[in-house]
């Protein structure tokens, strides 16, 4: 069992080895037993990127917002599985790992038991009257904090009212509900954040980067809020126009509960 709570192991500093093992588990769950496919097209914009083949996978950009796209598309692999392997990293190119996650999201089947639902609706249902922490400044956080006993938004790039990422050490062990962006898988923080959550907390990963991988339940998550691309043409158009995920058309949000 790869998952360790901080109460069982007091060491909560980042562990590159455990984070690498988490990514390797996700990659294996996506690739095992599934045929490879040629990549039809890569697409990248200011906020999102995607990969098209027999279907389409999405991911948020891993580079900081406002930076120009850093990956030369002609240097990316020609097959989906080879692209998925970029999830484990390519030196100096954080968006290469994001393309790897987009490939993983294309390969992973959507579970039959998943439901069409916005992740913020689940957070509201589970967190009303309780202490809630959200890792990542999602657009919905502006209008939901009054529903909770305590509400903390933990963010690397601070906006008014956000809490800096180092405060996760104090805040996450107090939270009854913890929601974290799927980009924590790309910036190296996911595994540590999960260890900071207290036993019994409801934990959800959300956003277009979130893979529908069952191994994430073994690592401590109770729900996955991912994205299904229903109209690739609309999604590609929106990405190239620089739209945010909230503005993107041709996609639907789904929830998979453990």
């Amino acid at each position: 069992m790869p998952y360790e709570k901080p109460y069982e192991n007091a060491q909560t500093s980042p562990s590159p080895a455990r984070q690498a093992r988490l990514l390797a588990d996700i990659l294996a769950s996506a690739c095992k037993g599934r045929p490879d496919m040629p990549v039809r097209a890569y697409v990248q914009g200011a906020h999102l990127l995607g990969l098209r083949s027999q279907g389409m996978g999405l991911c948020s950009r891993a580079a900081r917002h406002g930076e120009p796209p850093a990956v030369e598309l002609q240097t990316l692999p020609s097959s989906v599985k080879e692209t998925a392997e970029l999830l484990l990293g390519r030196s100096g190119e954080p968006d290469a790992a994001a393309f790897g996650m987009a490939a993983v999201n294309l390969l992973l089947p959507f579970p039959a038991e998943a439901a069409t639902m916005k992740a913020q609706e689940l957070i509201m249902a589970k967190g009303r009257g309780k202490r809630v922490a959200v890792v990542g400044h999602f657009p919905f956080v502006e209008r939901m904090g009054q529903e909770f006993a305590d509400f903390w938004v933990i963010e690397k790039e601070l906006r008014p009212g956000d809490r800096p990422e180092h405060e996760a050490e104090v805040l996450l062990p107090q939270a009854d509900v913890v929601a974290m962006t799927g980009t924590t898988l790309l910036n190296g923080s996911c595994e540590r954040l999960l260890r900071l959550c207290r036993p019994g907390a409801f934990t959800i990963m959300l956003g277009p980067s979130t893979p529908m991988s069952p191994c994430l339940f073994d690592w401590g998550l109770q729900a996955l809020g991912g994205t299904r691309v229903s109209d690739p043409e609309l999604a590609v158009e929106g990405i190239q126009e620089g739209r945010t995920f909230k503005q993107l058309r041709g996609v639907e949000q789904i929830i998979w509960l453990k």
Side-chain angles (χ1 to χ4, degrees):
M1 189 78 153
Y3 178 56
E4 295 176 320
K5 289 284 189 179
Y7 302 90
E8 300 162 0
N9 178 359
Q11 176 66 21
T12 55
S13 59
S15 171
R18 283 192 293 261
Q19 178 73 17
R21 193 164 75 243
L22 169 55
L23 295 180
D25 283 354
I26 294 169
L27 179 62
S29 72
C31 292
K32 185 176 181 180
R34 296 187 178 91
D36 203 356
M37 299 174 281
V39 175
R40 287 178 51 195
Y42 291 101
V43 56
Q44 59 184 344
H47 300 280
L48 298 160
L49 49 77
L51 178 152
R52 291 197 66 183
S53 181
Q54 297 173 24
M56 183 173 180
L58 287 182
C59 188
S60 294
R61 288 192 58 209
R64 288 181 177 271
H65 293 308
E67 292 182 2
V71 175
E72 296 292 335
L73 299 185
Q74 64 270 23
T75 70
L76 294 172
S78 59
S79 86
V80 174
K81 282 192 173 181
E82 289 177 350
T83 305
E85 292 173 1
L86 296 178
L87 179 62
L88 304 184
R90 194 160 86 176
S91 179
E93 291 184 308
D95 277 344
F99 274 115
M101 185 64 83
V104 163
N105 287 335
L106 189 155
L107 287 166
L108 283 167
F110 286 95
E113 58 270 38
T116 302
M117 181 183 187
K118 291 183 178 180
Q120 58 262 43
E121 296 171 6
L122 181 61
I123 296 169
M124 189 74 74
K126 293 291 185 179
R128 187 172 281 109
K130 299 178 181 178
R131 295 165 296 181
V132 175
V134 177
V135 180
H137 192 111
F138 292 90
F140 61 77
V141 302
E142 309 290 349
R143 60 181 183 272
M144 67 190 315
Q146 67 276 9
E147 299 290 334
F148 310 128
D150 286 298
F151 186 51
W152 309 295
V153 178
I154 301 168
E155 175 59 68
K156 285 179 176 288
E157 300 178 41
L158 295 174
R159 304 182 202 182
D162 291 349
R163 309 293 286 268
E165 60 180 327
H166 67 82
E167 291 191 14
E169 289 274 354
V170 175
L171 298 176
L172 293 191
Q174 300 180 56
D176 303 302
V177 175
V178 176
M180 63 183 68
T181 171
T183 57
T184 59
L185 291 166
L186 300 174
N187 65 25
S189 63
C190 179
E191 186 276 335
R192 172 177 170 269
L193 293 172
L194 286 171
R195 281 187 288 126
L196 287 169
C197 298
R198 67 170 181 79
F202 184 82
T203 52
I204 175 174
M205 180 175 285
L206 66 155
S209 304
T210 301
M212 293 287 103
S213 174
C215 77
L216 287 171
F217 295 138
D218 294 332
W219 283 86
L221 285 156
Q222 275 81 55
L224 302 175
T227 302
R228 178 189 287 121
V229 180
S230 55
D231 190 326
E233 297 295 336
L234 276 178
V236 167
E237 178 183 324
I239 292 170
Q240 291 176 333
E241 289 174 352
R243 297 189 182 195
T244 65
F245 180 69
K246 182 181 179 181
Q247 300 166 333
L248 197 65
R249 297 176 297 166
V251 298
E252 57 182 353
Q253 298 180 53
I254 63 170
I255 292 289
W256 186 17
L257 291 170
K258 181 177 181 180

